[in-house]
Amino acid sequence: MTQTQRFDQEAATWDENPRRVRLAKEVAETIARRLPLARNLKVLDFGCGTGLLTLNLQPLVGTITGADTSEGMLNVLRQKVRGQSLTNVDAFQLKPDNDYAIEGTYDLIVSSMTLHHVQDLAPLFRRFRDHLRDHGWVALADLDTEDGTFHQDNHDVFHLGFERSAFKAQLQDAGFTSLTEETAFENRRNGRDYPVFLITGRKQAH
Ligand SMILES: C[S@@+](CC[C@H](N)C(=O)[O-])C[C@H]1O[C@@H](n2cnc3c(N)ncnc32)[C@H](O)[C@@H]1O
């Protein structure tokens, strides 16, 4: 089974895990404290899943677009958007075979718990830069380096979390400045800690 098929299968029950719901809420709250969110901002949530982060940010921004490789995840998000009659949320599928082409230009690109599933971050960070307006932001949440016990099966996990300094260096290489880092979620499970960081950065003007 491919990674995308696995996420397709998990989509229907994804939101039943209260830890995931809490994590997304706390990441959204940390983004809102860290960045000047406003009702005129155009936002992309990369690897949006069922939209847990997307829908927490939706009332605080102008429009928010979810992008994900899993059509199953996107369908759950679309059902929620219809159910809540939201008019400022849309979604599109990312295709691994076209190098995760992103559509549109944004003021802010967010992502939570997705980047450890992406093999090579350098081209993706350059893509984020190319799809941001000048001085636009990224706000990226993921695991600090972990010992391989976070997932039950690591075969489609490309990074066992990240060293914050190396992650920030890759953003800097892609043209982001004003980098900040903080812990967005204290994640304790089975007697172990899996903290989640939020790193923000700003696109340098040309
Ligand atoms: C752990 S889930 C996180 C979902 C959501 N951000 C959340 O916090 O609930 C990872 C998501 O990333 C998506 N994904 C995995 N690899 C991806 C890639 N290379 N590009 C975009 N999305 C990807 C998966 O389909 C899945 O929905």
Side-chain angles (χ1 to χ4, degrees), residues 108-149:
L108 165 65
I109 297 178
V110 301
S111 184
S112 181
M113 299 298 282
T114 294
L115 298 179
H116 59 260
H117 293 291
V118 175
Q119 188 160 15
D120 193 0
L121 289 187
L124 181 65
F125 287 172
R126 288 196 294 271
R127 219 173 246 288
F128 285 174
R129 180 200 60 209
D130 293 344
H131 287 269
L132 280 171
R133 65 160 175 82
D134 281 352
H135 306 296
W137 289 280
V138 283
L140 308 174
D142 213 305
L143 294 165
D144 281 313
T145 308
E146 49 106 2
D147 61 2
T149 55

Side-chain angles (χ1 to χ4, degrees), residues 21-89:
V21 174
R22 240 180 26 250
L23 192 162
K25 185 165 179 289
E26 293 192 23
V27 167
E29 287 168 357
T30 310
I31 293 172
R33 271 200 310 276
R34 173 64 61 183
L35 298 179
L37 298 184
R39 295 304 304 260
N40 61 350
L41 293 188
K42 203 175 156 202
V43 182
L44 174 74
D45 181 1
F46 180 85
C48 61
T50 61
L52 291 176
L53 177 61
T54 319
L55 296 185
N56 272 291
L57 290 176
Q58 165 271 325
L60 307 175
V61 300
T63 62
I64 186 159
T65 301
D68 202 287
T69 42
S70 160
E71 190 61 17
M73 289 282 191
L74 291 171
N75 283 337
V76 174
L77 170 58
R78 290 184 184 117
Q79 273 169 23
K80 292 189 213 175
V81 169
R82 275 196 301 276
Q84 297 174 38
S85 304
L86 299 174
T87 54
N88 65 341
V89 183

